[in-house]
Amino acid sequence: IDTSIADTAELQTIEAKSRKLILDMKVEKYLKAITINGNRQQVQQDGIKKIEIKRKLINTQKVRLEYIIKVSNTGEIAGNIERIVDELPQGMTFIASESDSSWKKENGIIYSTDYAKNELDVGKSKEYKVVLQWDNSQSNFGQKINKASLQGVTNKLKYIDSNQENSNSQATVLFSIATGENASVIIELISV
């Protein structure tokens, strides 16, 4: 082999054709911060977050959730992702002005096609910010499950994603009515 083509796309193509390389894209979704009435609070990535709101303050609290969707190429060859999809939970509104600009909205989902034509190289990752606002309502409580997924993972050699199990991720927030006389809004971590 001519060493002048080492570490080039041509060499990767030669290697990919001579042995079956693994194409594997991974998505991780987590809640990074909760903002209540303009006060931002970082949160731990593990477990389910619980937000309790006093009944008399339900109509006045402005609660925003900042999620991160991290896409990583954990395989052995560069690849494309047709769509990175985020399913919006019912009772939550997408705030485009505070989210990454690559998102497009359609029928209860948002999606990005950043890597439909551009390849994500091996070992590289990209994070996308998604901000959702809780819709104030006496009936808008319970679990809010935000799901992210990768669709159409392939590459120029027509490989497909070898590990579909890590192509989906979700983050759960539980909204409930606060009892007791503590603060107007309580945030806590529920171990899972």
Side-chain angles (χ1 to χ4, degrees):
I1 293 181
D2 180 1
T3 57
S4 66
I5 63 168
D7 291 332
T8 65
E10 185 180 349
L11 180 60
Q12 286 181 5
T13 301
I14 291 167
E15 184 179 2
K17 287 181 179 177
S18 65
R19 78 172 180 93
K20 184 77 169 168
L21 295 178
I22 294 171
L23 174 63
D24 185 22
M25 299 290 182
K26 175 182 179 181
V27 66
E28 298 169 87
K29 172 99 184 209
Y30 61 91
L31 184 63
K32 181 177 181 179
I34 299 172
T35 303
I36 299 169
N37 299 329
N39 297 316
R40 187 173 187 273
Q41 180 178 342
Q42 295 274 126
V43 295
Q44 298 174 352
Q45 291 185 22
D46 298 332
I48 297 171
K49 281 55 169 191
K50 180 179 180 184
I51 301 173
E52 293 184 348
I53 301 172
K54 282 190 174 180
R55 185 178 301 279
K56 65 183 179 181
L57 299 173
I58 289 172
N59 294 327
T60 61
Q61 299 302 298
K62 185 176 178 182
V63 180
R64 290 194 175 178
L65 307 178
E66 180 183 325
Y67 293 96
I68 296 295
I69 298 174
K70 182 179 179 182
V71 179
S72 304
N73 184 339
T74 57
E76 300 173 314
I77 191 167
N80 302 89
I81 305 164
E82 184 181 322
R83 291 188 350 155
I84 302 162
V85 176
D86 189 41
E87 296 178 36
L88 302 177
Q90 197 167 25
M92 301 294 289
T93 300
F94 173 59
I95 308 298
S97 62
E98 294 180 27
S99 301
D100 283 328
S101 62
S102 65
W103 295 111
K104 299 171 183 85
K105 189 174 177 188
E106 172 186 284
N107 300 326
I109 66 164
I110 58 173
Y111 67 94
S112 174
T113 56
D114 262 7
Y115 286 101
K117 293 187 176 144
N118 302 317
E119 289 187 326
L120 183 60
D121 290 328
V122 176
K124 299 292 183 182
S125 297
K126 177 153 184 193
E127 292 186 350
Y128 296 85
K129 181 168 86 167
V130 175
V131 178
L132 303 180
Q133 182 166 306
W134 179 68
D135 298 338
N136 299 61
S137 169
Q138 296 280 342
S139 60
N140 191 17
F141 287 92
Q143 285 189 15
K144 302 297 178 188
I145 301 173
N146 195 319
K147 299 177 184 177
S149 62
L150 305 178
Q151 298 177 350
V153 176
T154 187
N155 69 5
K156 61 186 173 190
L157 298 173
K158 306 297 182 215
Y159 283 35
I160 58 170
D161 197 338
S162 64
N163 183 2
Q164 295 293 317
E165 300 217 0
N166 64 4
S167 295
N168 298 289
S169 184
Q170 68 182 35
T172 302
V173 176
L174 178 63
F175 281 85
S176 65
I177 297 173
T179 56
E181 296 299 318
N182 293 337
S184 60
V185 179
I186 302 164
I187 301 170
E188 63 181 272
L189 176 70
I190 303 172
S191 297
V192 287

